Amino acid sequence: MVAEQKDFIVAIELGSSKVVAIAGQKKPDGSISVLAMVKEDASSFIRKGVVYNIDKTAQCLQSMVKKLEMQLQARILQVFVGVGGQSLRSVRNSVQRDLSGLSADGSAIITQEMVVELMDENLSLEYPEQKILDVAEQEYRVDTQLQMDPVGIRAAKLEGNFLNILMRKAFFQNLNRCFELAEIKVAEMYLAPLALANAVLTEAEKRSGCVLVDIGADTTTVTVFWKNVLRHLAVIPLGSNNITKDIASLQMEEADAEQMKLKYGCAYTENNDIDPTLKYSIDPERQIESRRFIQIVEARMQEIIENASYQIPSEYSDKLLGGIILTGGGSNMRNIEKAVSTYTRIDKVRVAKFVTTTINSGNDLLKARNGIFNTVLGLLLKGDINCAGNGISRGGDLFEDQKEEEVNVPERPVRKASEVETGTIRTQQEEDKAAELARQQREAQERKEREEEERRLEEERRLKKENSGWNRFKRSVKKITTDIFAEE
């Protein structure tokens, strides 16, 4: 049992096969001290990183937060959440503006307001059953030139290029609903693949161009960077569990197949290194030829690698000087670098076993440094708000005064979608508040316009009345009478 903690950050990752909750403190030197961690199997309520059983997911989240609170001896008021899963993908879009009519010379100086208008128009784009979670700005085309920041440049045409990150609306709503049911306040939602990329990639790799391949249990996530900008994101519904299932087709339990994969699995084997007489034991009574086992494992691994390679946009295929960076549990297979370089023809391959930030922890799972927890550590690194509440006395009731504490959690100001930095996602609650605020502003504007219209009509009626023939006659008589009395 640790002492009561009063300052910490909590991050939760809903992965393709597991849910991980972690609490840590950021130190002045930039390092992280992990204070507590809880991991639960998610196979009964999450498939390929997507929630399909809301109630079970909510129960799991609630249970994990309570376990963290007991380890920390403090209440958790809010958490940071990573969003990923199979339905996540990127789509390009461009928005154009003709500036030639804004001045006599057929051009105009580009302002920040013009850029924001392009961003807002892009965000207003509707995709059937899909939701824009985030947008990565690409280059802006200013006349015929490409610019990262067009503000201040004189031009006749402006085109904004954007990479929209999409997710199925239903899946995003399910995720938010889970935290509502569990009564867990979400401080911020992050794109899990970008949080992972920030944690394991170097600035040089993102600048010179690279591909990050996160091989998980049920999915493989591919992110492409060039010039420090996200250029493509895709989630492939294949992972290391597919290898396990292939091995299990040899008529064995998946648990035994997993052990065989870990013990004998190899991503790439030269033909000359295969012993035709060697056999692997399935159980005390059965064996399988090593050649057949190798073929099963390598065939699936080749499929995963080639599908990941296929996601690299053609215009960046010859610009990726940073090479391919592998991470996730599937990257631990022997000879994985050789397999990737062989099937992709990219020689520069690196395995990111751990995040680049210094992590201090006595947890054996983290000390293994096997890439499995890189994403949740990346989410922890992104967190920037204290998640700690009041302390819990030994034997105290975790449910006591919980609602009173939640009232004291400071509310984040409602942000416009264009104000949110890349990699950060507005929660459903924040979007609802933004929509309500926009509705109130729209109604106020409509009310103001109605009042102005009524004043205008009233003024027209008054002028019309004043200019009527009878009123003009009365004013003439009044003026003549006034003049007569004035002369007398």
Side-chain angles (χ1 to χ4, degrees):
M1 189 74 71
V2 299
E4 172 193 333
Q5 301 293 337
K6 297 182 179 180
D7 184 10
F8 54 78
I9 293 168
V10 177
I12 296 179
E13 176 205 359
L14 290 87
S16 61
S17 65
K18 66 186 184 307
V19 179
V20 184
I22 192 169
Q25 283 182 333
K26 291 188 175 181
K27 300 299 182 182
D29 61 359
S31 65
I32 295 281
S33 290
V34 175
L35 306 174
M37 190 173 85
V38 179
K39 181 176 79 75
E40 298 287 349
D41 178 73
S43 58
S44 63
F45 50 85
I46 291 179
R47 289 177 184 160
K48 299 186 183 300
V50 174
V51 172
Y52 73 90
N53 188 314
I54 296 175
D55 290 338
K56 284 187 177 181
T57 305
Q59 291 169 8
C60 176
L61 291 171
Q62 200 169 46
S63 171
M64 293 178 76
V65 168
K66 297 305 176 188
K67 289 178 181 178
L68 278 185
E69 287 180 331
M70 290 306 294
Q71 293 183 41
L72 296 165
Q73 284 297 289
R75 298 195 192 281
I76 295 171
L77 298 187
Q78 53 193 350
V79 300
F80 292 89
V81 179
V83 179
Q86 182 180 350
S87 76
L88 212 61
R89 64 189 181 97
S90 64
V91 177
R92 299 181 194 180
N93 184 47
S94 62
V95 183
Q96 298 180 355
R97 280 285 184 277
D98 187 354
L99 311 178
S100 60
L102 298 181
S103 64
D105 64 354
S107 65
I109 295 177
I110 299 170
T111 64
Q112 185 62 40
E113 289 74 19
M114 293 178 183
V115 174
V116 171
E117 285 178 5
L118 292 183
M119 296 171 65
D120 288 341
E121 183 174 335
N122 171 68
L123 283 166
S124 66
L125 189 65
E126 291 288 337
Y127 294 90
E129 299 184 359
Q130 303 284 324
K131 173 184 177 59
I132 299 178
L133 289 187
D134 194 17
V135 178
E137 291 180 81
Q138 311 292 290
E139 291 89 353
Y140 289 85
R141 185 174 294 278
V142 182
D143 288 339
T144 59
Q145 301 294 319
L146 292 176
Q147 301 284 341
M148 293 303 296
D149 184 6
V151 176
I153 301 175
R154 181 176 289 278
K157 291 183 179 180
L158 174 64
E159 178 182 325
N161 296 296
F162 305 98
L163 188 71
N164 295 333
I165 313 300
L166 308 182
M167 187 178 194
R168 287 277 299 274
K169 289 179 181 178
F171 294 163
F172 186 67
Q173 291 167 355
N174 287 352
L175 180 62
N176 280 276
R177 182 61 180 153
C178 290
F179 285 90
E180 288 177 8
L181 285 177
E183 297 184 341
I184 299 171
K185 180 177 176 60
V186 177
E188 195 78 275
M189 282 186 166
Y190 296 122
L191 270 177
L194 292 193
L196 171 64
N198 291 333
V200 301
L201 298 180
T202 65
E203 286 299 313
E205 287 171 334
K206 288 192 287 186
R207 184 176 59 253
S208 60
C210 68
V211 182
L212 176 62
V213 181
D214 177 21
I215 307 175
D218 291 326
T219 60
T220 296
T221 304
V222 182
T223 48
V224 180
F225 291 87
W226 186 60
K227 289 188 175 181
N228 272 326
V229 176
L230 175 68
R231 304 295 179 170
H232 185 69
L233 187 153
V235 180
I236 303 166
L238 294 171
S240 57
N241 276 355
N242 293 92
I243 301 174
T244 303
K245 290 175 182 177
D246 289 346
I247 298 172
S249 66
L250 299 171
Q251 297 181 339
M252 69 179 78
E253 295 290 334
E254 283 198 15
D256 296 330
E258 178 70 16
Q259 290 303 313
M260 288 195 70
K261 180 185 73 175
L262 296 176
K263 185 175 182 180
Y264 303 115
C266 185
Y268 187 85
T269 307
E270 296 285 355
N271 282 329
N272 295 336
D273 295 334
I274 299 176
D275 185 349
T277 63
L278 182 63
K279 294 185 178 181
Y280 298 144
S281 296
I282 297 176
D283 53 45
E285 300 176 354
R286 294 187 301 156
Q287 292 181 321
I288 180 177
E289 293 180 357
S290 62
R291 179 180 292 276
R292 187 182 178 193
F293 181 87
I294 290 170
Q295 288 173 341
I296 289 173
V297 172
E298 291 189 7
R300 182 64 76 175
M301 183 56 74
Q302 180 178 352
E303 181 187 18
I304 293 171
I305 294 170
E306 289 180 345
N307 272 275
S309 176
Y310 181 76
Q311 291 299 324
I312 302 174
S314 57
E315 62 265 42
Y316 301 113
S317 59
D318 60 343
K319 299 176 181 177
L320 305 176
L321 303 181
I324 295 178
I325 295 87
L326 304 170
T327 192
S331 66
N332 291 301
M333 186 169 286
R334 287 183 296 120
N335 280 358
I336 187 73
E337 298 102 318
K338 176 66 175 176
V340 170
S341 62
T342 299
Y343 300 134
T344 65
R345 301 185 184 280
I346 295 176
D347 294 331
K348 194 171 184 179
V349 180
R350 176 174 76 88
V351 177
K353 295 287 189 181
F354 208 60
V355 299
T356 56
T357 303
T358 301
I359 304 293
N360 301 309
S361 173
N363 189 299
D364 291 337
L365 294 174
L366 293 179
K367 287 165 71 175
R369 293 177 173 251
N370 52 18
I372 294 177
F373 300 101
N374 285 350
T375 298
V376 75
L377 289 173
L379 295 170
L380 187 65
L381 289 166
K382 285 280 291 181
D384 57 359
I385 303 174
N386 185 21
C387 300
N390 294 335
I392 300 172
S393 60
R394 293 181 181 274
D397 184 2
L398 282 174
F399 299 94
E400 185 180 357
D401 297 328
Q402 184 70 26
K403 291 184 179 179
E404 292 183 10
E405 263 191 85
E406 290 175 353
V407 176
N408 299 323
V409 179
E411 290 289 334
R412 184 187 292 276
V414 177
R415 302 164 293 180
K416 294 181 180 179
S418 57
E419 295 173 343
V420 180
E421 66 173 327
T422 301
T424 302
I425 303 168
R426 294 197 304 175
T427 63
Q428 190 64 52
Q429 292 83 353
E430 187 176 2
E431 290 200 345
D432 291 343
K433 289 179 182 177
E436 176 63 20
L437 182 61
R439 185 188 64 79
Q440 293 174 359
Q441 291 173 342
R442 187 168 58 252
E443 289 179 350
Q445 181 64 26
E446 290 173 353
R447 188 164 54 250
K448 181 180 177 182
E449 290 174 355
R450 284 196 304 270
E451 291 172 354
E452 289 178 352
E453 180 66 14
E454 289 174 0
R455 283 195 296 269
R456 185 184 66 78
L457 293 173
E458 181 62 30
E459 180 66 16
E460 285 182 359
R461 286 193 293 268
R462 185 184 66 79
L463 291 174
K464 186 176 181 180
K465 184 177 180 182
E466 288 180 356
N467 293 326
S468 66
W470 175 246
N471 282 332
R472 285 199 304 271
F473 174 73
K474 286 197 300 183
R475 285 197 299 271
S476 298
V477 172
K478 183 178 180 180
K479 185 177 185 302
I480 292 171
T481 306
T482 303
D483 291 345
I484 291 172
F485 280 108
E487 291 175 1
E488 291 179 352

